[in-house]
Amino acid sequence: MRSSARVLLFNPPILDFSAFDLWIRPLNLLRLAGHLEKAGIAVALLDCLDRFHPAMPEVKKSHRFASYGCGHYYSEEVAKPDILRFVPRRFKRYGMTLERVRRELERYPPPDMIILSCMMTYWYLGAVESARLFREMFPSVPLVLVGVYPILCPEHSRKCVPVDFVHSEASAVKLLKFIEEHLGISIGLQDTYVSPSYHLLTSTSALPILTASGCPFSCEYCASAALSSGFQSFSHETIVEEIKRAVRDFGTTDFVLYDDAFLIDKSRHAVPILENIVRCSLPVRFHSPNALHASEIDRETAILLKKAGFVTIRLGLEFDDSERLNSTGGKVTAAEFVHAVSWLKEAGFAASEIGAYVFVGYPGQTPEEAARACLFAHRQGILVKQTQYAPTPQSAIWERGFPDFRFDPGEDPLLQNCTLMPWRSDTFPASVYFRLRERINRWNALAQRGCRCDE
Ligand code: SF4
């Protein structure tokens, strides 16, 4: 057994039609770093999406959520892949340029292993170009691929990304075993909560936090079950200690919940966490870009969320039709949603702080149905966050196929991009989609002013 080793964790740039830093942080790599550092391994992180990294080209455009830790990425236009030629938009690389990545890598001491992450399936081109760069610069260093992409598309990852090991399971056990064997260092195989190595980030003012992994629901459009080993809540004392430590050590002001199901089993999990945070009077804000379960929000929960410092509340509505809500997973009813919004407002949340995700372009959904669901959300006096449906491998609906699509999203993960929605099907043509988007923008502008449309 060796006594020390160096591992480089790498989060590649995004190659896509659009990308925005809505609290995108490599939490999977930070959690993995926590395991490795505990075993005495020296870990470095190069996050090509870190807007605060000194090697990141400057972006002049600011954003209204900048103080919360969000913002625009630096981007450069790159050649559009042939398979996406039909999309009338420019294709770009978002994040650090390849030249700067190369320069940064030259500054690192040679690693004993490189672990490369790829989140969305349709971002795999960033992983491919990074893996090629590593092969050229560090030809003999073992290279590992992790993230959502290799879990949802294991065969494609093995075929297309030139690495030594593709980690295609939700559990980290096999990955840690591979690392142990190749580095000759005992890590201690644990698949439980380990503190993320936040200190590896260049900016710690806004940090991602995971209080529970997985989700007990099985909505037909979601692959949460494939991405986690069951639903597991971490100890609420541990989570509160983690938050307090980050405030004390880094001066963190914003926490971003990466949970899929924060409020499920709330009396034993979310409520004690929130009550503890209120008791400590921590000067922090919370954001839930992954939707909270509206069905779990009653008057007391809404008040607790407000008192704990939540300022960005997102709710998963998806549809307004009860039959559709029920048949796709039943995580909420329209009545529960209406109640949740009214409790949140009564607790003091402003319209601009609450947004509802609503699907647009869902298989079998007509434009009228999508517009009606968006209008339903708007009429509750909150923001409508339209979600262009993205076909997701290993979700239940994926198995049924997509008869009204012009292409098979299984042919190439690039075709799983939600941006393709307006050019994907005759049922929901681009002109209809863009008209609806304009209406939603008008409704949201009205909601921000506390008004509602009279349609
Ligand atoms: S959509 Fe939300 S509630 Fe449904 S399975 Fe996924 S994470 Fe759970």
Side-chain angles (χ1 to χ4, degrees):
M1 285 270 162
R2 298 160 54 156
S3 59
S4 70
R6 267 193 295 270
V7 170
L8 172 64
L9 305 179
F10 187 84
N11 196 29
I14 295 172
L15 278 82
D16 201 337
F17 295 100
S18 66
F20 178 76
D21 179 11
L22 191 73
W23 299 290
I24 297 180
R25 305 289 184 273
L27 183 59
N28 65 329
L29 292 181
L30 298 175
R31 292 178 74 205
L32 176 58
H35 279 283
L36 303 184
E37 289 190 318
K38 241 177 141 181
I41 296 171
V43 179
L45 167 70
L46 180 54
D47 177 7
C48 300
L49 299 177
D50 177 356
R51 293 181 299 110
F52 309 97
H53 195 287
M56 190 68 89
E58 200 191 337
V59 179
K60 295 258 159 39
K61 226 166 38 169
S62 124
H63 190 269
R64 69 191 166 92
F65 274 6
S67 61
Y68 291 172
C70 302
H72 296 277
Y73 287 121
Y74 175 81
S75 66
E76 285 181 355
E77 187 167 355
V78 295
K80 197 188 299 183
D82 278 353
I83 201 165
L84 298 176
R85 249 183 333 208
F86 66 96
V87 181
R89 293 188 58 170
R90 293 191 297 162
F91 201 68
K92 295 181 179 177
R93 176 185 292 104
Y94 293 85
M96 212 175 278
T97 63
L98 271 186
E99 183 209 338
R100 294 204 185 194
V101 170
R102 185 185 285 273
R103 234 188 293 152
E104 279 303 300
L105 291 175
E106 281 165 357
R107 293 179 42 239
Y108 284 103
D112 297 300
M113 179 176 285
I114 300 169
I115 301 178
L116 159 69
S117 177
C118 181
M119 293 315 287
M120 310 306 279
T121 60
Y122 46 86
W123 287 350
Y124 78 85
L125 292 178
V128 172
E129 93 179 358
S130 307
R132 287 185 184 144
L133 180 67
F134 289 132
R135 283 293 186 227
E136 179 207 317
M137 292 183 73
F138 308 103
S140 56
V141 175
L143 190 51
V144 176
L145 178 67
V146 300
V148 170
Y149 160 60
I151 295 177
L152 296 189
C153 303
E155 281 159 30
H156 188 274
S157 322
R158 283 189 195 101
K159 204 168 82 197
C160 296
V161 192
V163 295
D164 298 294
F165 179 66
V166 170
H167 182 62
S168 54
E169 290 182 5
S171 159
V173 172
K174 274 194 185 158
L175 170 65
L176 295 179
K177 206 167 183 124
F178 177 89
I179 299 171
E180 277 195 329
E181 282 168 10
H182 279 72
L183 296 183
I185 289 183
S186 170
I187 298 176
L189 303 179
Q190 304 161 6
D191 203 17
T192 55
Y193 187 83
V194 168
S195 252
S197 296
Y198 291 132
H199 68 93
L200 295 173
L201 295 170
T202 57
S203 170
T204 44
S205 62
L207 289 180
I209 188 141
L210 188 74
T211 79
S213 69
C215 176
F217 284 86
S218 40
C219 302
E220 65 172 17
Y221 42 82
C222 181
S224 176
L227 296 172
S228 53
S229 334
F231 179 50
Q232 184 193 9
S233 299
F234 304 124
S235 134
H236 53 85
E237 289 93 352
T238 307
I239 296 299
V240 175
E241 279 313 306
E242 187 81 87
I243 292 169
K244 282 159 71 175
R245 195 164 40 240
V247 173
R248 188 189 61 223
D249 296 351
F250 307 122
T252 304
T253 52
D254 291 82
F255 289 91
V256 187
L257 265 186
Y258 273 32
D259 292 44
D260 282 337
F262 178 62
L263 293 179
I264 298 300
D265 199 14
K266 64 182 181 217
S267 59
R268 284 197 291 181
H269 184 67
V271 168
I273 291 178
L274 296 170
E275 284 177 344
N276 205 336
I277 285 164
V278 174
R279 263 198 308 277
C280 300
S281 302
L282 293 175
V284 293
R285 294 178 292 222
F286 288 91
H287 312 272
S288 65
N290 285 359
L292 297 177
H293 283 84
S295 58
E296 297 298 321
I297 299 181
D298 51 20
R299 173 182 271 140
E300 292 70 31
T301 312
I303 293 170
L304 257 183
L305 290 168
K306 182 71 186 167
K307 282 189 176 163
F310 273 71
V311 291
T312 311
I313 299 270
R314 296 292 174 259
L315 303 172
L317 173 64
E318 326 303 355
F319 311 99
D320 73 325
D321 178 78
S322 54
E323 171 56 37
R324 179 82 81 177
L325 279 168
N326 204 25
S327 66
T328 53
K331 68 180 177 187
V332 70
T333 66
E336 286 168 337
F337 176 80
V338 171
H339 285 127
V341 171
S342 67
W343 295 133
L344 289 167
K345 290 187 147 188
E346 196 185 289
F349 285 98
S352 56
E353 293 175 319
I354 314 168
Y357 292 124
V358 181
F359 271 130
V360 170
Y362 196 75
Q365 180 193 48
T366 61
E368 293 73 28
E369 184 188 340
R372 203 185 55 228
C374 292
L375 191 53
F376 171 77
H378 166 71
R379 284 192 175 132
Q380 312 315 314
I382 56 170
L383 301 178
V384 179
K385 298 285 168 188
Q386 55 107 1
T387 312
Q388 291 167 249
Y389 168 74
T392 308
Q394 300 195 40
S395 61
I397 194 172
W398 176 273
E399 305 305 326
R400 302 208 295 268
F402 303 95
D404 67 335
F405 282 18
R406 295 201 185 98
F407 48 77
D408 171 13
E411 188 190 333
D412 190 312
L414 293 174
L415 298 173
Q416 294 157 19
N417 193 333
C418 54
T419 306
L420 272 48
M421 180 253 130
W423 300 279
R424 202 168 55 193
S425 147
D426 292 333
T427 320
F428 212 135
S431 56
V432 176
Y433 166 71
F434 289 114
R435 272 202 303 278
L436 174 60
R437 204 174 67 174
E438 276 170 26
R439 286 170 77 197
I440 294 170
N441 289 343
R442 276 201 303 277
W443 296 339
N444 284 344
L446 283 168
Q448 302 260 21
R449 301 201 301 271
C451 309
R452 297 180 201 187
C453 82
D454 48 16
E455 284 186 46

